Amino acid sequence: MKFRSRLVVNLDHIAYNVEQIRKISKESHVLFMIKADGYGHGMIPIARYAITELGIKEFGCATISEALKLREELNELEFDIYVFSDIQLELLENVDIYLKRRIIPVISNVSELDYILHTAELKNFPICLKFNTGMNRLGLDPNDTPLIVNKLKQHGRTSVHHLISHYANASASMSENQTNVLQRTRFEEIKKFFRDSGIQLLRTSQSNSGSVEQKTGVREVSGDTHVRPGLMLYGPSSLNQNVAGEFKGKLVSVLETYILRVFEVKKGEVVGYNSTPCPEDGLIAILAIGYGDGFFNRYSGAHLYHKGFEGVIIGRVSMDMTHVFFPKEAIGKITAHEIFTIWGKSEGDFLKFCMETKTIPYEVFCALLPRIPRVYRLN
Ligand SMILES: Cc1ncc(COP(=O)(O)O)c(C=O)c1O
């Protein structure tokens, strides 16, 4: 069977990106953010490759079910898993999962901490605390630091497995953005308070991609043992255009589809749902991808390139198909059944696509549905 549409994932590019991250963050360990199915690239094959070929030992998931899947499918391999947001510690059956499957929930409120401290089976369970230093989403209140330290001491805990903070504006300058400066200062104060109180911090981390790209929160600069890159592992930078960074990644994926049919059109002739008129005489290529694949209607208007011709997505994207309008010079040159690359063929085409569609790389990756098979390549 010929493929319909597919996401070709170049594992070597992940290796390259990890190498770049390690160059920037030197002594810091990489806690590999693999949530949302590896940012849409397929969690299991990527994690397997990262563990066996790149020496990655820690992964970040968002939900307990992602973590459980990772543990079950890669049961023979040695690695740690953190669950960052949907930890569901209040459900008794999950406590069992955390204990027996060696999964670490990231604690972000005092009642979760109390639960761990007061549950006998969790007496020796690693405590991982995330503070809200200014993101204002999940996280412990920095004002509660003395209270938290006291609770730990009362329960004979002398160390924290991992202390975490997360930036709200890592795409902006780490030195000029005032929220970034404040978050960094607060995190330093929290770390100091724990240490001054005799609580050992076994691991600390503050940096996601944007922050790593600016060499903040790396061991050399702030003493943090870990960095937590996500997007940059998959290639794109997450920095705003005016912010200088040290990372030039390789896009990991190529989104390919193929042309179902081509036909000539005259100016004003209509195509697809809602009958959109063509702007000029030209050629329509019908691509075998649509919103049933996670390729959205709002992508209409974006430019795509094929055989040196610039096309534009015209009209409404359908569930299974997308129409691309090409100038009349493409007639006879672009034909049915050709493989059509949507992004990943030329430098910058993915970011251009994101900008034109007013989306962000995170969203475009994660939106791709399982109907698009992920195919893995190792050159
Ligand atoms: C706590 C935490 N750390 C790290 C990351 C990775 O972020 P990024 O993909 O921007 O590197 C995320 C992603 O949302 C996160 O929630």
Side-chain angles (χ1 to χ4, degrees), residues 318-345:
S318 317
M319 186 180 287
D320 318 299
M321 285 171 274
T322 294
H323 349 95
V324 184
F325 175 83
F326 283 97
K328 57 180 183 302
E329 291 72 26
I331 294 169
K333 310 262 176 31
I334 295 179
T335 57
H337 311 309
E338 291 171 355
I339 292 176
F340 190 105
T341 303
I342 292 176
W343 73 62
K345 191 160 58 179

PDB file of all heavy atoms in Angstrom, residues 318-345:
ATOM      1  N   SER A 318     -10.601  20.448   3.815  1.00  0.00           N
ATOM      2  CA  SER A 318     -11.625  19.438   4.112  1.00  0.00           C
ATOM      3  C   SER A 318     -11.066  18.436   5.123  1.00  0.00           C
ATOM      4  O   SER A 318      -9.914  18.515   5.516  1.00  0.00           O
ATOM      5  CB  SER A 318     -12.012  18.646   2.861  1.00  0.00           C
ATOM      6  OG  SER A 318     -12.161  19.473   1.748  1.00  0.00           O
ATOM      7  N   MET A 319     -11.908  17.468   5.464  1.00  0.00           N
ATOM      8  CA  MET A 319     -11.465  16.475   6.448  1.00  0.00           C
ATOM      9  C   MET A 319     -10.254  15.679   5.944  1.00  0.00           C
ATOM     10  O   MET A 319      -9.322  15.392   6.681  1.00  0.00           O
ATOM     11  CB  MET A 319     -12.616  15.521   6.774  1.00  0.00           C
ATOM     12  CG  MET A 319     -12.274  14.553   7.890  1.00  0.00           C
ATOM     13  SD  MET A 319     -13.626  13.450   8.269  1.00  0.00           S
ATOM     14  CE  MET A 319     -14.759  14.537   9.104  1.00  0.00           C
ATOM     15  N   ASP A 320     -10.254  15.362   4.652  1.00  0.00           N
ATOM     16  CA  ASP A 320      -9.229  14.449   4.124  1.00  0.00           C
ATOM     17  C   ASP A 320      -8.391  15.060   3.004  1.00  0.00           C
ATOM     18  O   ASP A 320      -7.524  14.386   2.455  1.00  0.00           O
ATOM     19  CB  ASP A 320      -9.913  13.194   3.551  1.00  0.00           C
ATOM     20  CG  ASP A 320     -11.018  12.728   4.460  1.00  0.00           C
ATOM     21  OD1 ASP A 320     -10.699  12.391   5.607  1.00  0.00           O
ATOM     22  OD2 ASP A 320     -12.195  12.753   4.047  1.00  0.00           O
ATOM     23  N   MET A 321      -8.724  16.282   2.614  1.00  0.00           N
ATOM     24  CA  MET A 321      -8.048  16.875   1.452  1.00  0.00           C
ATOM     25  C   MET A 321      -7.813  18.374   1.633  1.00  0.00           C
ATOM     26  O   MET A 321      -8.565  19.041   2.340  1.00  0.00           O
ATOM     27  CB  MET A 321      -8.907  16.669   0.199  1.00  0.00           C
ATOM     28  CG  MET A 321      -8.860  15.260  -0.328  1.00  0.00           C
ATOM     29  SD  MET A 321     -10.066  14.988  -1.643  1.00  0.00           S
ATOM     30  CE  MET A 321     -11.511  14.561  -0.711  1.00  0.00           C
ATOM     31  N   THR A 322      -6.808  18.848   0.929  1.00  0.00           N
ATOM     32  CA  THR A 322      -6.472  20.280   0.939  1.00  0.00           C
ATOM     33  C   THR A 322      -6.198  20.684  -0.499  1.00  0.00           C
ATOM     34  O   THR A 322      -5.540  19.946  -1.234  1.00  0.00           O
ATOM     35  CB  THR A 322      -5.200  20.505   1.801  1.00  0.00           C
ATOM     36  OG1 THR A 322      -5.519  20.178   3.152  1.00  0.00           O
ATOM     37  CG2 THR A 322      -4.687  21.924   1.726  1.00  0.00           C
ATOM     38  N   HIS A 323      -6.729  21.852  -0.919  1.00  0.00           N
ATOM     39  CA  HIS A 323      -6.420  22.292  -2.294  1.00  0.00           C
ATOM     40  C   HIS A 323      -5.346  23.355  -2.277  1.00  0.00           C
ATOM     41  O   HIS A 323      -5.410  24.304  -1.497  1.00  0.00           O
ATOM     42  CB  HIS A 323      -7.623  22.888  -3.037  1.00  0.00           C
ATOM     43  CG  HIS A 323      -8.930  22.700  -2.361  1.00  0.00           C
ATOM     44  ND1 HIS A 323      -9.491  23.628  -1.545  1.00  0.00           N
ATOM     45  CD2 HIS A 323      -9.792  21.666  -2.416  1.00  0.00           C
ATOM     46  CE1 HIS A 323     -10.641  23.193  -1.093  1.00  0.00           C
ATOM     47  NE2 HIS A 323     -10.861  22.012  -1.594  1.00  0.00           N
ATOM     48  N   VAL A 324      -4.389  23.190  -3.170  1.00  0.00           N
ATOM     49  CA  VAL A 324      -3.322  24.187  -3.292  1.00  0.00           C
ATOM     50  C   VAL A 324      -3.393  24.764  -4.697  1.00  0.00           C
ATOM     51  O   VAL A 324      -3.435  24.016  -5.685  1.00  0.00           O
ATOM     52  CB  VAL A 324      -1.931  23.553  -3.065  1.00  0.00           C
ATOM     53  CG1 VAL A 324      -0.839  24.612  -3.104  1.00  0.00           C
ATOM     54  CG2 VAL A 324      -1.891  22.822  -1.729  1.00  0.00           C
ATOM     55  N   PHE A 325      -3.436  26.107  -4.748  1.00  0.00           N
ATOM     56  CA  PHE A 325      -3.479  26.797  -6.043  1.00  0.00           C
ATOM     57  C   PHE A 325      -2.057  27.140  -6.478  1.00  0.00           C
ATOM     58  O   PHE A 325      -1.292  27.735  -5.720  1.00  0.00           O
ATOM     59  CB  PHE A 325      -4.310  28.085  -5.916  1.00  0.00           C
ATOM     60  CG  PHE A 325      -4.301  28.915  -7.159  1.00  0.00           C
ATOM     61  CD1 PHE A 325      -5.162  28.640  -8.217  1.00  0.00           C
ATOM     62  CD2 PHE A 325      -3.394  29.975  -7.287  1.00  0.00           C
ATOM     63  CE1 PHE A 325      -5.120  29.400  -9.382  1.00  0.00           C
ATOM     64  CE2 PHE A 325      -3.359  30.737  -8.448  1.00  0.00           C
ATOM     65  CZ  PHE A 325      -4.219  30.445  -9.495  1.00  0.00           C
ATOM     66  N   PHE A 326      -1.716  26.753  -7.716  1.00  0.00           N
ATOM     67  CA  PHE A 326      -0.399  27.090  -8.291  1.00  0.00           C
ATOM     68  C   PHE A 326      -0.604  27.963  -9.529  1.00  0.00           C
ATOM     69  O   PHE A 326      -1.636  27.847 -10.218  1.00  0.00           O
ATOM     70  CB  PHE A 326       0.351  25.823  -8.706  1.00  0.00           C
ATOM     71  CG  PHE A 326       0.955  25.081  -7.545  1.00  0.00           C
ATOM     72  CD1 PHE A 326       0.291  23.997  -6.979  1.00  0.00           C
ATOM     73  CD2 PHE A 326       2.181  25.469  -7.001  1.00  0.00           C
ATOM     74  CE1 PHE A 326       0.853  23.321  -5.900  1.00  0.00           C
ATOM     75  CE2 PHE A 326       2.739  24.800  -5.929  1.00  0.00           C
ATOM     76  CZ  PHE A 326       2.071  23.726  -5.365  1.00  0.00           C
ATOM     77  N   PRO A 327       0.376  28.822  -9.867  1.00  0.00           N
ATOM     78  CA  PRO A 327       0.265  29.640 -11.081  1.00  0.00           C
ATOM     79  C   PRO A 327       0.271  28.754 -12.332  1.00  0.00           C
ATOM     80  O   PRO A 327       0.727  27.607 -12.287  1.00  0.00           O
ATOM     81  CB  PRO A 327       1.518  30.522 -11.032  1.00  0.00           C
ATOM     82  CG  PRO A 327       2.460  29.815 -10.126  1.00  0.00           C
ATOM     83  CD  PRO A 327       1.625  29.041  -9.155  1.00  0.00           C
ATOM     84  N   LYS A 328      -0.180  29.321 -13.436  1.00  0.00           N
ATOM     85  CA  LYS A 328      -0.378  28.483 -14.638  1.00  0.00           C
ATOM     86  C   LYS A 328       0.934  27.898 -15.171  1.00  0.00           C
ATOM     87  O   LYS A 328       0.928  26.896 -15.860  1.00  0.00           O
ATOM     88  CB  LYS A 328      -1.161  29.219 -15.728  1.00  0.00           C
ATOM     89  CG  LYS A 328      -0.585  30.526 -16.205  1.00  0.00           C
ATOM     90  CD  LYS A 328      -1.520  31.098 -17.283  1.00  0.00           C
ATOM     91  CE  LYS A 328      -1.025  32.377 -17.903  1.00  0.00           C
ATOM     92  NZ  LYS A 328      -0.781  33.489 -16.973  1.00  0.00           N
ATOM     93  N   GLU A 329       2.065  28.498 -14.773  1.00  0.00           N
ATOM     94  CA  GLU A 329       3.368  27.957 -15.211  1.00  0.00           C
ATOM     95  C   GLU A 329       3.573  26.520 -14.697  1.00  0.00           C
ATOM     96  O   GLU A 329       4.395  25.764 -15.218  1.00  0.00           O
ATOM     97  CB  GLU A 329       4.533  28.825 -14.704  1.00  0.00           C
ATOM     98  CG  GLU A 329       4.645  30.198 -15.334  1.00  0.00           C
ATOM     99  CD  GLU A 329       3.560  31.165 -14.893  1.00  0.00           C
ATOM    100  OE1 GLU A 329       3.016  30.994 -13.782  1.00  0.00           O
ATOM    101  OE2 GLU A 329       3.228  32.067 -15.680  1.00  0.00           O
ATOM    102  N   ALA A 330       2.836  26.162 -13.650  1.00  0.00           N
ATOM    103  CA  ALA A 330       3.019  24.813 -13.074  1.00  0.00           C
ATOM    104  C   ALA A 330       2.248  23.752 -13.860  1.00  0.00           C
ATOM    105  O   ALA A 330       2.446  22.548 -13.641  1.00  0.00           O
ATOM    106  CB  ALA A 330       2.551  24.806 -11.618  1.00  0.00           C
ATOM    107  N   ILE A 331       1.405  24.196 -14.796  1.00  0.00           N
ATOM    108  CA  ILE A 331       0.608  23.224 -15.559  1.00  0.00           C
ATOM    109  C   ILE A 331       1.542  22.312 -16.355  1.00  0.00           C
ATOM    110  O   ILE A 331       2.465  22.787 -17.033  1.00  0.00           O
ATOM    111  CB  ILE A 331      -0.388  23.958 -16.500  1.00  0.00           C
ATOM    112  CG1 ILE A 331      -1.414  24.709 -15.659  1.00  0.00           C
ATOM    113  CG2 ILE A 331      -1.082  22.982 -17.464  1.00  0.00           C
ATOM    114  CD1 ILE A 331      -2.289  25.679 -16.428  1.00  0.00           C
ATOM    115  N   GLY A 332       1.317  21.031 -16.244  1.00  0.00           N
ATOM    116  CA  GLY A 332       2.148  20.053 -16.943  1.00  0.00           C
ATOM    117  C   GLY A 332       3.402  19.689 -16.178  1.00  0.00           C
ATOM    118  O   GLY A 332       4.073  18.699 -16.484  1.00  0.00           O
ATOM    119  N   LYS A 333       3.747  20.514 -15.201  1.00  0.00           N
ATOM    120  CA  LYS A 333       4.965  20.247 -14.410  1.00  0.00           C
ATOM    121  C   LYS A 333       4.627  19.542 -13.095  1.00  0.00           C
ATOM    122  O   LYS A 333       5.374  18.699 -12.620  1.00  0.00           O
ATOM    123  CB  LYS A 333       5.713  21.556 -14.095  1.00  0.00           C
ATOM    124  CG  LYS A 333       5.952  22.447 -15.301  1.00  0.00           C
ATOM    125  CD  LYS A 333       7.352  22.211 -15.815  1.00  0.00           C
ATOM    126  CE  LYS A 333       7.731  22.950 -17.079  1.00  0.00           C
ATOM    127  NZ  LYS A 333       7.125  24.253 -17.350  1.00  0.00           N
ATOM    128  N   ILE A 334       3.511  19.956 -12.516  1.00  0.00           N
ATOM    129  CA  ILE A 334       3.079  19.301 -11.275  1.00  0.00           C
ATOM    130  C   ILE A 334       1.993  18.310 -11.667  1.00  0.00           C
ATOM    131  O   ILE A 334       1.010  18.674 -12.334  1.00  0.00           O
ATOM    132  CB  ILE A 334       2.540  20.336 -10.256  1.00  0.00           C
ATOM    133  CG1 ILE A 334       3.681  21.269  -9.824  1.00  0.00           C
ATOM    134  CG2 ILE A 334       1.905  19.659  -9.049  1.00  0.00           C
ATOM    135  CD1 ILE A 334       3.289  22.361  -8.840  1.00  0.00           C
ATOM    136  N   THR A 335       2.171  17.087 -11.267  1.00  0.00           N
ATOM    137  CA  THR A 335       1.221  16.054 -11.716  1.00  0.00           C
ATOM    138  C   THR A 335       0.730  15.202 -10.537  1.00  0.00           C
ATOM    139  O   THR A 335       1.315  15.232  -9.447  1.00  0.00           O
ATOM    140  CB  THR A 335       1.875  15.112 -12.767  1.00  0.00           C
ATOM    141  OG1 THR A 335       3.039  14.549 -12.178  1.00  0.00           O
ATOM    142  CG2 THR A 335       2.254  15.838 -14.042  1.00  0.00           C
ATOM    143  N   ALA A 336      -0.340  14.447 -10.795  1.00  0.00           N
ATOM    144  CA  ALA A 336      -0.926  13.595  -9.754  1.00  0.00           C
ATOM    145  C   ALA A 336       0.066  12.526  -9.315  1.00  0.00           C
ATOM    146  O   ALA A 336       0.969  12.157 -10.071  1.00  0.00           O
ATOM    147  CB  ALA A 336      -2.206  12.937 -10.272  1.00  0.00           C
ATOM    148  N   HIS A 337      -0.114  12.067  -8.085  1.00  0.00           N
ATOM    149  CA  HIS A 337       0.640  10.953  -7.477  1.00  0.00           C
ATOM    150  C   HIS A 337       2.072  11.298  -7.078  1.00  0.00           C
ATOM    151  O   HIS A 337       2.829  10.421  -6.699  1.00  0.00           O
ATOM    152  CB  HIS A 337       0.642   9.706  -8.397  1.00  0.00           C
ATOM    153  CG  HIS A 337      -0.732   9.366  -8.885  1.00  0.00           C
ATOM    154  ND1 HIS A 337      -1.817   9.240  -8.044  1.00  0.00           N
ATOM    155  CD2 HIS A 337      -1.216   9.174 -10.142  1.00  0.00           C
ATOM    156  CE1 HIS A 337      -2.898   8.985  -8.757  1.00  0.00           C
ATOM    157  NE2 HIS A 337      -2.576   8.944 -10.031  1.00  0.00           N
ATOM    158  N   GLU A 338       2.404  12.568  -7.181  1.00  0.00           N
ATOM    159  CA  GLU A 338       3.750  12.950  -6.708  1.00  0.00           C
ATOM    160  C   GLU A 338       3.739  13.124  -5.190  1.00  0.00           C
ATOM    161  O   GLU A 338       2.738  13.559  -4.619  1.00  0.00           O
ATOM    162  CB  GLU A 338       4.171  14.285  -7.345  1.00  0.00           C
ATOM    163  CG  GLU A 338       4.438  14.167  -8.828  1.00  0.00           C
ATOM    164  CD  GLU A 338       4.644  15.534  -9.498  1.00  0.00           C
ATOM    165  OE1 GLU A 338       4.491  16.583  -8.843  1.00  0.00           O
ATOM    166  OE2 GLU A 338       4.954  15.523 -10.702  1.00  0.00           O
ATOM    167  N   ILE A 339       4.870  12.815  -4.592  1.00  0.00           N
ATOM    168  CA  ILE A 339       5.019  13.086  -3.156  1.00  0.00           C
ATOM    169  C   ILE A 339       5.158  14.592  -2.975  1.00  0.00           C
ATOM    170  O   ILE A 339       5.858  15.256  -3.740  1.00  0.00           O
ATOM    171  CB  ILE A 339       6.256  12.364  -2.582  1.00  0.00           C
ATOM    172  CG1 ILE A 339       6.009  10.853  -2.618  1.00  0.00           C
ATOM    173  CG2 ILE A 339       6.548  12.822  -1.151  1.00  0.00           C
ATOM    174  CD1 ILE A 339       7.181  10.013  -2.166  1.00  0.00           C
ATOM    175  N   PHE A 340       4.467  15.116  -1.994  1.00  0.00           N
ATOM    176  CA  PHE A 340       4.424  16.565  -1.772  1.00  0.00           C
ATOM    177  C   PHE A 340       4.871  16.831  -0.337  1.00  0.00           C
ATOM    178  O   PHE A 340       4.257  16.351   0.617  1.00  0.00           O
ATOM    179  CB  PHE A 340       2.985  17.043  -1.980  1.00  0.00           C
ATOM    180  CG  PHE A 340       2.825  18.535  -2.010  1.00  0.00           C
ATOM    181  CD1 PHE A 340       2.604  19.194  -3.218  1.00  0.00           C
ATOM    182  CD2 PHE A 340       2.866  19.273  -0.838  1.00  0.00           C
ATOM    183  CE1 PHE A 340       2.441  20.579  -3.238  1.00  0.00           C
ATOM    184  CE2 PHE A 340       2.711  20.657  -0.859  1.00  0.00           C
ATOM    185  CZ  PHE A 340       2.497  21.316  -2.065  1.00  0.00           C
ATOM    186  N   THR A 341       5.953  17.589  -0.187  1.00  0.00           N
ATOM    187  CA  THR A 341       6.449  17.894   1.168  1.00  0.00           C
ATOM    188  C   THR A 341       5.819  19.185   1.661  1.00  0.00           C
ATOM    189  O   THR A 341       5.919  20.231   1.009  1.00  0.00           O
ATOM    190  CB  THR A 341       7.983  18.035   1.163  1.00  0.00           C
ATOM    191  OG1 THR A 341       8.517  16.812   0.649  1.00  0.00           O
ATOM    192  CG2 THR A 341       8.517  18.254   2.565  1.00  0.00           C
ATOM    193  N   ILE A 342       5.173  19.089   2.797  1.00  0.00           N
ATOM    194  CA  ILE A 342       4.539  20.288   3.368  1.00  0.00           C
ATOM    195  C   ILE A 342       5.553  21.103   4.160  1.00  0.00           C
ATOM    196  O   ILE A 342       5.608  22.307   4.048  1.00  0.00           O
ATOM    197  CB  ILE A 342       3.318  19.879   4.211  1.00  0.00           C
ATOM    198  CG1 ILE A 342       2.261  19.332   3.236  1.00  0.00           C
ATOM    199  CG2 ILE A 342       2.767  21.053   5.012  1.00  0.00           C
ATOM    200  CD1 ILE A 342       1.035  18.795   3.859  1.00  0.00           C
ATOM    201  N   TRP A 343       6.329  20.442   4.987  1.00  0.00           N
ATOM    202  CA  TRP A 343       7.452  21.136   5.623  1.00  0.00           C
ATOM    203  C   TRP A 343       8.600  20.162   5.843  1.00  0.00           C
ATOM    204  O   TRP A 343       8.402  18.955   5.822  1.00  0.00           O
ATOM    205  CB  TRP A 343       7.038  21.808   6.937  1.00  0.00           C
ATOM    206  CG  TRP A 343       6.795  20.868   8.088  1.00  0.00           C
ATOM    207  CD1 TRP A 343       7.696  20.032   8.678  1.00  0.00           C
ATOM    208  CD2 TRP A 343       5.584  20.677   8.802  1.00  0.00           C
ATOM    209  NE1 TRP A 343       7.117  19.350   9.705  1.00  0.00           N
ATOM    210  CE2 TRP A 343       5.816  19.725   9.808  1.00  0.00           C
ATOM    211  CE3 TRP A 343       4.317  21.247   8.691  1.00  0.00           C
ATOM    212  CZ2 TRP A 343       4.836  19.304  10.691  1.00  0.00           C
ATOM    213  CZ3 TRP A 343       3.335  20.837   9.581  1.00  0.00           C
ATOM    214  CH2 TRP A 343       3.607  19.866  10.560  1.00  0.00           C
ATOM    215  N   GLY A 344       9.782  20.750   6.037  1.00  0.00           N
ATOM    216  CA  GLY A 344      10.947  19.930   6.378  1.00  0.00           C
ATOM    217  C   GLY A 344      11.877  19.702   5.206  1.00  0.00           C
ATOM    218  O   GLY A 344      12.873  19.009   5.325  1.00  0.00           O
ATOM    219  N   LYS A 345      11.539  20.325   4.029  1.00  0.00           N
ATOM    220  CA  LYS A 345      12.387  20.087   2.866  1.00  0.00           C
ATOM    221  C   LYS A 345      13.481  21.149   2.786  1.00  0.00           C
ATOM    222  O   LYS A 345      14.626  20.854   2.506  1.00  0.00           O
ATOM    223  CB  LYS A 345      11.541  20.108   1.592  1.00  0.00           C
ATOM    224  CG  LYS A 345      12.293  19.621   0.377  1.00  0.00           C
ATOM    225  CD  LYS A 345      11.378  19.173  -0.753  1.00  0.00           C
ATOM    226  CE  LYS A 345      10.432  20.255  -1.217  1.00  0.00           C
ATOM    227  NZ  LYS A 345       9.586  19.816  -2.320  1.00  0.00           N
TER     228      LYS A 345
END
